[in-house]
Amino acid sequence: MSHEENYERWRIGVSSLFDAVPATDGLDGFKADLASYNLGHFLIGKSSAVAQRFHRSSELVAATGVDHLLIQLYVNGQCAYNADGGIAKGVAGDIVCFDLSRPMRSQTTDMEIISLILPRAMIRLMPRVIDELHGARLDGSSTLGTLLGEHMMTMARLAPQLAGPDGKLAADVASVLVSSGLSAAVAAERGTLMDASLQTIQVFIERNLTNPSLSTEMIMRQFALSRSALYRLFEPLGGIADYIRERRLKLAMLKLASVGMSRGAVAKLAYATGFASENAFSRAFQQYYGLRPSEAIRNARDGIRLKTDIGSQESNWMQAWLDKLHAKA
């Protein structure tokens, strides 16, 4: 195909993740290849391309409405990036993590990368540690960096054969290695690792945020904990009720662009994020963010319009995959 057609197909293929622009003026010499696999529980792909600039704006975040982590292994090439204010550089062999619910910019050299996209709920770390992983870099020369890098290359090679139970097993193994590698490289250095029982409960909460039955009593029954023991665990985080409410409100902010502007949009957003009533949701949302949810939904309209810029449902297969990607317990 021509350089122009190659670029257009590449641009649409990655448009749910980034706005991609060649690093040089014009498309002469542009070349990019992308092979991706949707394995139900995760996505994995291998790509190569000439030097480019990538941008994931706040508007694109709102338009795509996904809450996954993108883990990229630089097989060849390097990148300089700004992950929501955190500036760093990755070289060949390094593994870089981006939170797709947050903005970022990067500039790469000619590159060959393997990309893994996992739902946030599959990462076996406490949510506040996961929130710190945007822009995290795992040194490719470290032991865990080597283990995870080799595993990602093996998964990319075997991807056409990973289906059904094999895909679920591969996702489980990948989530363990990703969690271990990134927590050791980042979370431990920042002193943010917490008691394992607290971490386990937080993972349970994250997977049940949209369930209106999620409550202190439900957690007590699930983990055979007394009320006082549960309260003690969450006391450093401001209390169990406040913690659940905060996680639901952050999920609501991510889903703003998905509820539309029709009558009942606020109620739809409230019930989609586990709140028992529209009024309770509206009060909590305004108290936490300083504006009414209806205002926040209106502010997200520009993001909704951006869906026309990331291709139609037929041409933008990546967005369709991202929308359906889920983690099964």
Side-chain angles (χ1 to χ4, degrees):
M1 65 182 73
S2 68
H3 298 308
E4 290 76 13
E5 185 179 4
N6 191 180
Y7 170 66
E8 184 61 18
R9 291 195 181 186
W10 167 262
R11 185 191 67 80
I12 292 175
V14 301
S15 61
S16 291
L17 303 177
F18 315 106
D19 294 319
V21 180
T24 57
D25 293 334
L27 296 176
D28 290 343
F30 183 87
K31 183 178 181 181
D33 293 298
L34 172 64
S36 296
Y37 299 89
N38 176 5
L39 298 173
H41 305 277
F42 67 99
L43 310 182
I44 190 164
K46 186 173 183 179
S47 57
S48 61
V50 297
Q52 293 183 57
R53 294 187 297 272
F54 296 97
H55 182 205
R56 185 168 178 82
S57 64
S58 298
E59 292 80 10
L60 184 57
V61 169
T64 54
V66 294
D67 191 23
H68 312 322
L69 295 185
L70 169 65
I71 298 96
Q72 293 188 310
L73 165 66
Y74 274 76
V75 180
N76 289 300
Q78 59 185 36
C79 67
Y81 59 89
N82 182 333
D84 208 6
I87 299 173
K89 181 178 181 179
V91 300
D94 287 351
I95 298 166
V96 181
C97 177
F98 295 115
D99 184 337
L100 294 180
S101 70
R102 297 166 66 180
M104 58 77 66
R105 291 179 181 270
S106 72
Q107 182 160 343
T108 72
T109 63
D110 292 357
M111 61 180 179
E112 180 183 355
I113 61 175
I114 292 173
S115 298
L116 175 66
I117 299 179
L118 287 171
R120 181 183 298 268
M122 290 199 71
I123 304 301
R124 303 184 182 192
L125 294 170
M126 48 177 280
R128 291 199 177 188
V129 173
I130 297 176
D131 288 345
E132 294 182 356
L133 294 181
H134 189 42
R137 181 187 66 86
L138 181 57
D139 186 343
S141 63
S142 67
T143 301
L144 282 170
T146 301
L147 284 171
L148 180 54
E150 292 288 342
H151 184 71
M152 289 178 67
M153 286 192 285
T154 300
M155 282 203 303
R157 188 176 70 252
L158 297 179
Q161 305 169 36
L162 296 177
D166 288 342
K168 177 62 166 66
L169 179 59
D172 290 341
V173 174
S175 69
V176 170
L177 284 175
V178 168
S179 302
S180 299
L182 295 177
S183 66
V186 181
E189 293 179 2
R190 299 177 184 176
T192 53
L193 290 179
M194 293 188 179
D195 183 87
S197 59
L198 175 58
Q199 176 181 324
T200 302
I201 296 171
Q202 288 176 306
V203 170
F204 176 80
I205 290 172
E206 207 71 13
R207 291 180 174 177
N208 288 275
L209 277 179
T210 60
N211 182 354
S213 298
L214 178 64
S215 64
T216 300
E217 288 70 22
M218 179 180 180
I219 296 169
M220 288 165 53
R221 291 193 301 271
Q222 178 71 24
F223 294 95
L225 284 171
S226 67
R227 188 178 301 273
S228 59
L230 182 60
Y231 283 7
R232 280 196 302 271
L233 278 174
F234 280 84
E235 185 177 2
L237 303 183
I240 179 68
D242 285 348
Y243 178 82
I244 293 174
R245 182 165 55 249
E246 177 183 325
R247 298 308 302 177
R248 282 174 164 163
L249 289 170
K250 289 186 175 181
L251 179 62
M253 182 60 76
L254 183 67
K255 288 179 172 290
L256 285 175
S258 68
V259 296
M261 289 295 299
S262 60
R263 183 183 297 273
V266 174
K268 181 178 178 181
L269 187 59
Y271 298 132
T273 51
F275 281 85
S277 71
E278 179 180 350
N279 288 337
F281 168 69
S282 296
R283 286 194 302 270
F285 191 96
Q286 184 165 2
Q287 183 179 15
Y288 190 80
Y289 289 111
L291 76 167
R292 295 189 299 274
S294 56
E295 295 177 85
I297 292 172
R298 283 196 297 272
N299 291 343
R301 281 185 297 183
D302 289 341
I304 296 172
R305 294 189 186 114
L306 280 178
K307 283 186 179 291
T308 60
D309 298 329
I310 57 176
S312 67
Q313 188 71 11
E314 291 75 20
S315 63
N316 189 5
W317 46 267
M318 177 70 77
Q319 181 63 33
W321 285 4
L322 289 169
D323 288 341
K324 294 177 182 177
L325 193 63
H326 62 283
K328 294 183 179 178

